[in-house]
């Protein structure tokens, strides 16, 4: 099936079982493995009527292409994972908090970005369809379950999507070394979409031109740049910190 995607490892499989079990077409588990984590997987799979197939280690290694599967490998119908940006925005109970990834092609970086996005409560991650890493088994593994819960929305025209976000009164903030302000002296807007470019070239010119503001991350050591997932973690954490403080002040 064209839309079938592989997932493996307990984090990715458990997240899928709890968040979207109907998308799992088959679940392969290591025959004879009976530890607590495996029992939890089997119990939840049984409760959700997910097809479970016992397999030996050789078959699991082949199915997962010799990845570290931990004895659990699943196939999902990726067409049942599609989420529309409008649906996300319409169902929020707080100001939008988004992450835009422009030109992130490494699945390990994407997985790490999704993981930190989930940790900081980001409502959706947006990326262009072209020249971006797609969701695959490596992304799911690195994301430790976040790929199954954080909406990852790919768009045909990123600049157009950014204009649409502006129409929704969402502030577009790009990260750049030559930013007009630094992260620790920037009041993050209530409704915000952070834009991260790739590590080599940064944001594309057109993406940069559609930003409402450019913010730099202060560097106090000898390194000149950070991994995109680390940078994402810093700006998302600062955004969440400011939101928490604002909520506390409003209650005082």
């Amino acid at each position: 099936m064209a839309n079938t995607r592989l997932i493996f490892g307990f984090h990715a499989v458990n997240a899928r079982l709890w968040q979207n079990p109907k998308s799992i077409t088959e679940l392969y588990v290591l025959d004879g493995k009976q530890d607590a984590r495996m029992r939890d997987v089997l119990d939840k799979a049984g409760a959700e009527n997910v097809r479970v197939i016992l397999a030996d280690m050789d078959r699991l290694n082949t199915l997962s292409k010799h990845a570290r599967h931990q004895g659990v490998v699943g196939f999902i119908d990726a067409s049942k994972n599609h989420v529309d940006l409008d649906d996300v925005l319409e169902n929020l109970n707080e100001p939008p908090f988004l992450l835009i990834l422009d030109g992130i092609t490494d699945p390990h970086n994407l997985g790490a970005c999704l993981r930190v996005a989930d940790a900081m409560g980001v409502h959706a991650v947006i990326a262009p369809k072209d020249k971006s890493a797609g969701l695959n088994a490596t992304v799911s593994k690195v994301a430790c379950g976040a790929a199954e819960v954080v909406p990852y929305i790919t768009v045909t025209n990123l600049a157009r999507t950014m204009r649409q976000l502006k129409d929704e009164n969402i502030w577009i903030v790009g990260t750049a070394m030559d930013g007009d302000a630094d992260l620790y002296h920037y009041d993050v807007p209530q409704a915000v979409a952070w834009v991260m470019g790739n590590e080599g070239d940064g944001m594309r010119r057109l993406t940069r031109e559609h930003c409402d503001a450019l913010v730099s991350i202060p560097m106090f050591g000898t390194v000149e740049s950070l991994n995109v997932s680390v940078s994402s973690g810093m700006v998302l954490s600062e955004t969440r910190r400011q939101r928490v403080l604002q909520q506390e002040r409003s209650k005082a």
Side-chain angles (χ1 to χ4, degrees):
M1 194 165 61
N3 286 320
T4 296
R5 179 163 65 85
L6 172 72
I7 60 173
F8 54 82
F10 283 108
H11 283 299
V13 170
N14 265 318
R16 178 64 60 160
L17 280 170
W18 284 94
Q19 296 295 328
N20 194 0
K22 294 186 184 301
S23 68
I24 302 177
T25 58
E26 293 177 330
L27 185 61
Y28 292 80
V29 302
L30 182 60
D31 191 10
K33 188 176 177 67
Q34 293 293 330
D35 60 17
R37 291 193 297 178
M38 183 63 80
R39 288 195 299 270
D40 288 343
V41 165
L42 293 175
D43 288 346
K44 183 61 176 174
E48 299 293 346
N49 295 316
V50 174
R51 183 188 181 198
V52 176
I53 302 169
L54 299 179
D56 59 24
M57 187 63 76
D58 287 341
R59 188 174 189 190
L60 292 177
N61 288 339
T62 300
L63 290 171
S64 68
K65 300 177 182 178
H66 296 275
R68 295 180 60 186
H69 51 71
Q70 300 175 301
V72 285
V73 175
F75 289 92
I76 63 173
D77 182 355
S79 67
K80 295 184 179 180
N81 197 46
H82 177 73
V83 179
D84 186 83
L85 182 58
D86 290 335
D87 292 336
V88 172
L89 297 178
E90 288 174 2
N91 290 284
L92 297 180
N93 54 15
E94 66 173 342
F97 184 15
L98 308 172
L99 176 64
I100 298 174
L101 300 176
D102 185 29
I104 309 304
T105 57
D106 187 326
H108 292 87
N109 283 338
L110 174 57
C113 286
L114 288 170
R115 186 174 182 179
V116 74
D118 177 54
M120 292 299 106
V122 168
H123 301 127
V125 175
I126 303 168
K129 287 183 179 179
D130 296 331
K131 297 181 180 179
S132 291
L135 291 182
N136 58 28
T138 299
V139 173
S140 292
K141 179 68 173 178
V142 175
C144 293
E148 320 310 321
V149 295
V150 178
Y152 181 63
I153 301 167
T154 56
V155 297
T156 303
N157 189 318
L158 184 59
R160 182 171 60 204
T161 298
M162 294 170 75
R163 290 194 295 270
Q164 292 172 346
L165 293 176
K166 291 185 181 188
D167 290 340
E168 296 284 344
N169 296 315
I170 298 172
W171 201 258
I172 311 293
V173 184
T175 51
M177 294 180 65
D178 60 345
D180 302 318
D182 73 73
L183 181 62
Y184 301 137
H185 296 88
Y186 181 67
D187 292 329
V188 181
Q190 278 290 296
V192 64
W194 282 97
V195 186
M196 310 298 299
N198 70 40
E199 294 170 44
D201 301 321
M203 291 179 289
R204 290 175 295 176
R205 178 188 58 80
L206 190 58
T207 302
R208 182 183 176 109
E209 290 176 355
H210 279 78
C211 291
D212 296 304
L214 295 176
V215 172
S216 64
I217 297 175
M219 306 290 285
F220 300 99
T222 58
V223 298
E224 296 181 355
S225 63
L226 296 171
N227 177 278
V228 64
S229 63
V230 175
S231 298
S232 296
M234 293 182 70
V235 301
L236 299 180
S237 177
E238 175 62 17
T239 302
R240 182 56 65 183
R241 184 190 71 83
Q242 291 189 23
R243 286 194 174 203
V244 169
L245 288 178
Q246 290 168 355
Q247 291 170 356
E248 292 176 348
R249 288 169 186 155
S250 65
K251 294 177 181 178

